Amino acid sequence: MNQKTKKEASLLVQGYEVVIGFETHAQLATQSKIFSRAPTAFGAEPNTQACAVDLALPGTLPVMNREAVAHAIRLGLALGSHIAEQSVFARKNYFYPDLPKGYQISQFEIPVVQGGEVSFFLGDQKKTVRLVRAHLEEDAGKSLHEDFIGQSGIDLNRAGTPLLEIVTEPDIRSSAEAVAYAKELHKIVTWIGVCDGNMQEGSFRCDANVSVRKPGAPLGTRREIKNLNSFKFMQQAIDFEVRWQIEQIEDGFEIQQATVLFDPDTGETRAMRTKEDAADYRYFPDPDLPPLVIARSWVDEVKAAMPELPRQMAERLVADYGLPEYDATTLTQSPAMAAYFETAAKASGQAKMASNWIMGEVARRLNNENIDIPQVPVSAVRLAALLLEIASGAISNNAAKLVFDAIWKGHYGVFGVPSEDLNTAALLVKKIVGERGLAQMNDSGALEAIIDEVLAANAPMVEQFKAGKDKAFNALVGMVMKASKGKANPQQVNDVLRSKLQG
């Protein structure tokens, strides 16, 4: 079995291959709706942000929001897609209480964004998911069931909110891969500013089309899990759905195409309705909207104003700083994180060490305190000063974590002067090291004395090392470090200790 076959086999669940395609609705960051001037701000009182166009009153006509189209162009450029010079709006016909017109204005046969791909890392393995399309459409309203007894309320504030629906090929093969894809897409839409990415407010909603099959068999019947608004629930929902489908097939039942919802309280999916196909929606071109024509000059204008994209920045970090591709991808999770890294790396000249600290100690603390990189209490310049102390051998990595902790907790001010330079930051770090007695031991004579004491007190361990047991050496290193109260240079300890044991 070759390496590729082993990887494919490892992805199987009880002998079945999982096949997943994604549809993601990204709410566009416009001030007004896609076909009206009504505002899109979140949290307003019900039905206070819906105008005559959104309510589908007789005689009203939709007018295209230019900024929504510009956002679609930005996304297409970011994903390497084709921007259609001419696309068509269509009416998607279905009936629901929160859809006043009885149809949704969307795009069907000719979407504005065509093709493209999203690449990301799953562990250290690079994955690529192909995109089918991204089309512009309006959102529906919202039905409110919780606040009423025996009846439902309708809030049309969301009706007409501009969306881009981003559709993938069925290229995803596990729940972990699905979450990694969704996170990467979320990063891209927020990075380029087309969507705020707030999943709790419904700005970034994912639908997962899940099916299973035996390897090499035709695609199975899919079930669509709707409105997944957290990465945690996304993985739980897909894992449950995969297990459920396999159990059904193994018990001799056929999978019926359906739309399902995930219940976080039970951890289960439940069928909501039989899934419709395109024919059920009776699409036809909207007679109230002309074809959307996008001039090449407009695309060029939008492209010229685009920021450096995550994948482009990651490639630059690899080229300029010699980082592994995995590090570069991780550090470009947001513009703020990338800027933090570059400031620390340039100031210290220790790019890989800066990367390790940001992906390790900094990321750990950010996660524990549920804050983002803009709120980090340790400035990038202070981190750079700390890295220089480590690189010079003045302090150990463990001692550096204690210094970092002191700065993080605000014992020495948060950022000091906003324009704090490296020299000022270095003086602060040295002050903390001195006050707390964290300087690394540089006296070789004192270190040799400590090692001699440890060896004399642990003769059985010395004999084990001479008998070829490497664990004994590691244990002796630990004892020396403990005896030096963590101040000895670990590399120097290794060198001197090994020399004495082999002498």
Side-chain angles (χ1 to χ4, degrees):
M1 184 181 290
N2 61 35
Q3 196 66 27
K4 182 180 178 183
T5 308
K6 285 181 180 178
K7 285 183 179 178
E8 289 173 349
S10 68
L11 290 175
L12 298 182
V13 179
Q14 299 175 37
Y16 286 83
E17 182 184 28
V18 178
V19 180
I20 304 168
F22 254 66
E23 299 170 11
T24 302
H25 291 87
Q27 179 178 325
L28 299 179
T30 58
Q31 296 299 310
S32 59
K33 295 184 179 179
I34 189 167
F35 299 120
S36 80
R37 293 182 178 180
T40 58
F42 180 82
E45 288 297 311
N47 299 308
T48 58
Q49 297 190 158
C51 69
V53 174
D54 309 320
L55 297 173
L57 296 183
T60 57
L61 289 172
V63 178
M64 186 70 221
N65 184 328
R66 179 181 172 86
E67 186 59 21
V69 180
H71 282 327
I73 295 171
R74 289 184 186 99
L75 182 72
L77 291 170
L79 300 177
S81 309
H82 170 67
I83 312 297
E85 293 186 6
Q86 181 170 304
S87 59
V88 176
F89 286 98
R91 291 186 178 182
K92 180 180 180 181
N93 297 276
Y94 66 97
F95 300 95
Y96 209 70
D98 55 22
L99 191 69
K101 293 192 290 287
Y103 62 85
Q104 177 190 27
I105 301 177
S106 182
Q107 293 186 307
F108 181 51
E109 293 180 323
I110 310 177
V112 63
V113 176
Q114 302 168 7
E117 63 183 32
V118 174
S119 296
F120 53 92
F121 276 89
L122 186 61
D124 59 357
Q125 188 177 4
K126 191 173 184 179
K127 301 277 187 178
T128 298
V129 172
R130 296 168 298 155
L131 302 179
V132 177
R133 58 194 279 150
H135 59 261
L136 286 162
E137 65 182 19
E138 61 178 346
D139 205 351
K142 185 177 182 181
S143 296
L144 306 172
H145 309 293
E146 297 83 4
D147 300 330
F148 303 91
I149 300 174
Q151 56 185 340
S152 295
I154 301 297
D155 179 9
L156 295 177
N157 281 349
R158 286 193 68 89
T161 297
L163 302 175
L164 265 175
E165 182 174 349
I166 305 155
V167 183
T168 77
E169 297 282 5
D171 288 348
I172 300 169
R173 292 294 177 267
S174 70
S175 62
E177 199 171 313
V179 171
Y181 159 79
K183 286 183 176 180
E184 183 66 20
L185 181 62
H186 183 272
K187 176 178 77 173
I188 291 169
V189 298
T190 53
W191 185 289
I192 63 176
V194 303
C195 174
D196 67 18
N198 192 316
M199 300 181 78
Q200 288 69 40
E201 294 180 2
S203 298
F204 188 86
R205 311 190 300 270
C206 298
D207 305 334
N209 289 287
V210 181
S211 65
V212 298
R213 65 178 177 183
K214 287 291 186 179
L219 290 173
T221 302
R222 62 190 168 89
R223 303 214 316 166
E224 182 181 26
I225 312 172
K226 293 288 287 185
N227 294 332
L228 297 167
N229 65 352
S230 94
F231 298 124
K232 177 183 176 183
F233 293 155
M234 185 183 297
Q235 186 148 13
Q236 291 176 358
I238 293 171
D239 285 340
F240 176 85
E241 181 64 24
V242 167
R243 292 194 302 270
W244 182 88
Q245 289 191 25
I246 292 173
E247 288 172 6
Q248 292 292 300
I249 294 170
E250 290 292 302
D251 289 343
F253 297 103
E254 288 188 359
I255 303 297
Q256 300 296 318
Q257 186 169 322
T259 299
V260 304
L261 293 175
F262 176 67
D263 185 342
D265 295 328
T266 64
E268 299 178 352
T269 56
R270 56 180 174 81
M272 184 171 65
R273 61 176 182 267
T274 301
K275 175 65 179 173
E276 297 89 351
D277 284 314
D280 298 313
Y281 291 120
R282 305 184 313 284
Y283 284 97
F284 65 88
D286 193 309
D288 291 337
L289 285 163
L292 175 61
V293 177
I294 299 175
R296 288 296 99 186
S297 58
W298 189 12
V299 176
D300 292 340
E301 180 185 324
V302 172
K303 185 175 183 179
M306 290 274 286
E308 185 179 25
L309 297 173
R311 66 173 179 270
Q312 295 169 345
M313 183 176 284
E315 290 169 0
R316 181 172 61 77
L317 296 186
V318 170
D320 291 356
Y321 297 98
L323 294 180
E325 192 173 4
Y326 175 81
D327 289 35
T329 302
T330 303
L331 292 168
T332 51
Q333 291 302 306
S334 70
M337 178 173 281
Y340 187 86
F341 162 75
E342 289 212 80
T343 300
K346 287 177 181 176
S348 67
Q350 302 291 327
K352 180 55 179 165
M353 193 188 298
S355 173
N356 291 344
W357 267 77
I358 294 168
M359 294 192 302
E361 189 67 16
V362 175
R364 181 182 67 80
R365 289 172 178 266
L366 291 175
N367 290 335
N368 288 345
E369 299 187 19
N370 197 27
I371 59 175
D372 294 322
I373 198 77
Q375 289 82 48
V376 66
V378 180
S379 70
V381 173
R382 289 186 175 181
L383 176 60
L386 188 60
L387 300 181
L388 285 170
E389 288 296 289
I390 300 170
S392 70
I395 56 174
S396 67
N397 208 56
N398 287 335
K401 289 181 179 179
L402 296 176
V403 176
F404 188 84
D405 181 70
I407 301 174
W408 185 283
K409 290 178 177 177
H411 295 169
Y412 295 85
V414 181
F415 286 101
V417 181
S419 58
E420 183 178 45
D421 61 23
L422 185 62
N423 289 334
T424 306
L427 289 173
L428 173 67
V429 170
K430 292 179 186 296
K431 176 184 177 183
I432 299 170
V433 170
E435 288 180 353
R436 304 198 173 203
L438 297 174
Q440 193 156 254
M441 181 185 295
N442 291 314
D443 185 342
S444 58
L447 175 60
E448 287 197 29
I450 291 173
I451 291 176
D452 289 340
E453 288 178 10
V454 169
L455 294 179
N458 294 275
M461 199 73 72
V462 173
E463 293 304 316
Q464 288 181 33
F465 170 78
K466 292 181 176 179
K469 295 183 178 179
D470 287 337
K471 287 183 178 179
F473 181 80
N474 294 333
L476 289 168
V477 169
M479 292 175 188
V480 173
M481 292 302 297
K482 183 177 180 180
S484 71
K485 298 180 180 179
K487 294 181 180 180
N489 183 315
Q491 186 58 52
Q492 192 177 8
V493 170
N494 272 269
D495 294 342
V496 176
L497 180 59
R498 194 171 292 277
S499 173
K500 284 182 174 290
L501 287 169
Q502 293 174 344

